[in-house]
Amino acid sequence: MPEQPLDLDQQAKAVLEAVREQQGLENLEQAAEWLLRRRIRRGAQGLTGRGRALYEVKGDPR
């Protein structure tokens, strides 16, 4: 995957640093990639309905 430079403010760096420490990663780029992959996984779960409750659809009462 091509690398893109990250232009981050202090708040974003602090968040990435916290993720890096929590997940035991080596650098901020790995922390950014971890967050991105997590967001993609959660988005895919929302699209596929995985983890959602299913309800019976009742027919038209006419």
Side-chain angles (χ1 to χ4, degrees):
M1 176 170 28
E3 292 188 19
Q4 297 291 325
L6 296 175
D7 187 25
L8 304 171
D9 61 10
Q10 291 299 330
Q11 184 179 6
K13 286 181 183 179
V15 168
L16 288 175
E17 184 62 32
V19 169
R20 185 192 68 77
E21 289 178 9
Q22 182 183 39
Q23 298 301 317
L25 303 171
E26 294 180 12
N27 54 46
L28 296 184
E29 288 80 14
Q30 288 179 344
E33 184 177 347
W34 185 88
L35 285 172
L36 180 61
R37 288 175 185 260
R38 181 176 179 218
R39 177 67 178 113
I40 291 171
R41 280 192 303 270
R42 286 192 172 189
Q45 286 176 349
L47 288 174
T48 62
R50 185 174 173 203
R52 290 185 178 177
L54 299 177
Y55 300 95
E56 178 182 358
V57 177
K58 298 184 180 186
D60 192 7
R62 294 184 209 177

